[in-house]
Amino acid sequence: MASRQSRLPQLLTAAEKAAPVEAVDVFAENLRRRFGATQVSFLIVDLTGRAVARLTTTTAATTVGHEAEHIPMLGSVYGQVIRAQRLYQEATGEGHRVITPVTNRGDAIGLLEIILPTRPDENVLHAVGEAAHVLAYVVIANGRFTDLYTWGKRTKPPTLAAEIQYQLLPQSLSCEGAQFTLCGNLEPSADLSGDTFDYAVERDILHLSVTDPMGHDLAAALAATVLVGALRGARRAGTGLAEQARRADRALADYGRGHATGQLLRIDLHTGRAQLVNAGHPWPLRIREGAVEEIPCEVDQPFGLSVVASQHYRVQDIDLRPGDRILMLTDGMLEHHEEDIDLPALLRRTRNLHPRETVLTMASAVRQAAGGRLEDDATVMCLDWHGPQETQRHVSSGADVQQASPGVARP
């Protein structure tokens, strides 16, 4: 046990000695030598959530350069491992293949794939899984210093508006806590409409928001920048929901170029009390014991419409119980698709999936209904509320496998 534990500092030190752009390569080479592997690869989940990119591959002969191979996840073993968040292994003509998730707090960053010369025992499999968990932290830490991992997530260069919009999203689209699990997804339109979602976890509060500025392209991206900046600044200053909304309204009004609908949700992690501000936004949805319903709430005017005095925004309590699933949507998820998508049926059908797969399924359904070309951004945040009685996550790695989606991961 002591010998196995001593490997972790070695892995971290090896990655730390390398340049940020080479940290994962060095990490992979360290694993190749340690396990006698013929190949070690890191595959990163791309921005769409529908594919992985083989960002680095280290073999016994050579280290391949950063030419990302994009592989669709639908129907693949990679998709199975991401969904189930469990190790997969199989015998192949090249050796024994082991694939394990690289995940941090429920955020599925990618996969570690190793080809071993012989079938590994339980100690080796445990060590590989442990290394994958460490790799998640290596990728997160070094992503602060290089664009390599951002580049690997992209299938094509973004427009300026898209670049701005992506930078407004939280760094991790998924998060698991003891009391909750959440994930957001943005399905961009052809002319990007400025949708954003955000969240933050404090000692005793979970903050969530969804916003939808008017307009398209750069104008919408700039309005979203003002709006998200105002909301984050107010939140980080420790203000309440009403003041966060007021500052967002004032900032967008002072900017003078458009308005935005939005929804702010604040949940006390110790009591489960949930409070909401709705600024002209579609009502959220709740799934409780298989029944789907809208959560009725008072609707105040959108952000940015105040001319002289700031709008007074009402903070309202909403009914939240352990076992509930809450969805916050933009109108792009609802417009023009009613005849093609039975939204309540889709939500019931995906109830047993992790929020990560639920939002991806919903966004994919909307894109398919629109023929692959959306007229408006479609954004959704999915929150599973486990309850204030939960105080610790049930994990041995980067994911709570009890919350993972059903998947096939053969032993």
Side-chain angles (χ1 to χ4, degrees):
M1 179 66 70
S3 174
R4 185 173 68 213
Q5 290 178 339
S6 68
R7 299 284 189 173
L8 300 182
Q10 292 177 16
L11 286 171
L12 291 173
T13 300
E16 185 70 19
K17 286 181 178 179
V21 73
E22 297 172 345
V24 173
D25 294 333
V26 171
F27 191 96
E29 176 60 20
N30 185 291
L31 294 181
R32 187 193 66 77
R33 293 196 305 268
R34 176 183 173 187
F35 296 117
T38 57
Q39 182 174 301
V40 178
S41 299
F42 170 57
L43 302 96
I44 195 167
V45 177
D46 77 1
L47 283 174
T48 69
R50 301 182 181 92
V52 289
R54 195 180 300 275
L55 196 59
T56 187
T57 299
T58 299
T59 68
T62 184
T63 299
V64 180
H66 301 305
E67 293 295 328
E69 171 195 2
H70 287 268
I71 306 167
M73 281 201 292
L74 182 62
S76 75
V77 65
Y78 301 124
Q80 294 173 18
V81 174
I82 289 292
R83 284 169 59 97
Q85 286 294 300
R86 294 180 184 273
L87 180 145
Y88 172 95
Q89 59 171 315
E90 66 175 353
T92 72
E94 298 177 331
H96 205 83
R97 182 188 190 197
V98 177
I99 306 171
T100 191
V102 176
T103 302
N104 172 246
R105 293 192 177 275
D107 183 34
I109 298 169
L111 300 154
L112 177 64
E113 182 176 27
I114 298 181
I115 306 296
L116 300 170
T118 60
R119 182 180 179 87
D121 60 22
E122 287 301 317
N123 288 333
V124 171
L125 292 177
H126 177 87
V128 170
E130 196 173 55
H133 194 194
V134 175
L135 179 57
Y137 286 89
V138 170
V139 172
I140 292 169
N142 286 278
R144 299 181 300 162
F145 310 114
T146 175
D147 289 332
L148 173 65
Y149 309 109
T150 301
W151 169 82
K153 292 179 179 181
R154 295 175 173 178
T155 55
K156 61 181 180 180
T159 63
L160 174 57
E163 183 68 55
I164 293 172
Q165 193 167 347
Y166 289 142
Q167 295 306 311
L168 296 176
L169 298 178
Q171 293 186 17
S172 298
L173 305 186
S174 299
C175 181
E176 292 177 357
Q179 301 90 348
F180 68 90
T181 301
L182 66 83
C183 187
N185 184 280
L186 165 64
E187 192 70 26
S189 62
D191 298 321
L192 287 170
S193 305
D195 278 15
T196 63
F197 63 87
D198 202 11
Y199 70 87
V201 187
E202 299 179 8
R203 288 184 183 274
D204 55 356
I205 298 294
L206 172 62
H207 299 271
L208 302 97
S209 66
V210 172
T211 55
D212 182 6
M214 65 171 290
H216 295 278
D217 289 329
L218 189 56
L222 293 176
T225 301
V226 172
L227 180 60
V228 172
L231 286 171
R232 286 177 175 168
R235 184 188 73 212
R236 290 165 180 169
T239 66
L241 276 189
E243 179 63 11
Q244 291 176 32
R246 189 195 70 80
R247 293 191 188 186
D249 173 58
R250 187 71 264 161
L252 208 52
D254 290 345
Y255 178 60
R257 298 181 183 177
H259 63 273
T261 67
Q263 208 163 73
L264 313 180
L265 179 62
R266 173 187 171 111
I267 302 173
D268 188 309
L269 297 175
H270 296 321
T271 67
R273 183 185 184 189
Q275 295 179 300
L276 181 78
V277 166
N278 191 309
H281 205 72
W283 286 355
L285 301 176
R286 178 176 55 221
I287 311 173
R288 176 180 293 167
E289 297 178 352
V292 179
E293 60 183 355
E294 291 184 320
I295 300 176
C297 55
E298 301 293 337
V299 179
D300 294 318
Q301 73 177 22
F303 302 124
L305 292 181
S306 299
V307 178
V308 180
S310 293
Q311 162 77 12
H312 173 70
Y313 288 94
R314 290 168 287 186
V315 177
Q316 17 191 337
D317 288 331
I318 66 169
D319 181 23
L320 182 65
R321 304 176 192 174
D324 284 354
R325 168 168 284 185
I326 303 293
L327 289 103
M328 301 166 68
L329 314 160
T330 61
D331 57 11
M333 290 293 301
L334 305 170
E335 292 176 344
H336 313 305
H337 310 304
E338 292 86 351
E339 67 278 9
D340 299 306
I341 302 174
D342 184 343
L343 189 57
L346 180 61
L347 298 183
R348 286 191 293 269
R349 191 166 67 247
T350 58
R351 182 61 184 92
N352 68 329
L353 299 181
H354 190 281
R356 178 178 53 245
E357 278 76 43
T358 293
V359 297
L360 181 59
T361 299
M362 293 179 64
S364 297
V366 169
R367 174 163 287 279
Q368 183 176 0
R373 186 178 177 86
L374 295 175
E375 296 180 2
D376 192 10
D377 293 353
T379 299
V380 57
M381 283 197 78
C382 178
L383 168 73
D384 283 350
W385 179 244
H386 310 315
Q389 77 283 352
E390 300 291 338
T391 57
Q392 289 187 331
R393 295 175 64 217
H394 307 287
V395 297
S396 59
S397 60
D400 183 348
V401 295
Q402 297 179 19
Q403 302 296 330
S405 301
V408 179
R410 296 194 298 270

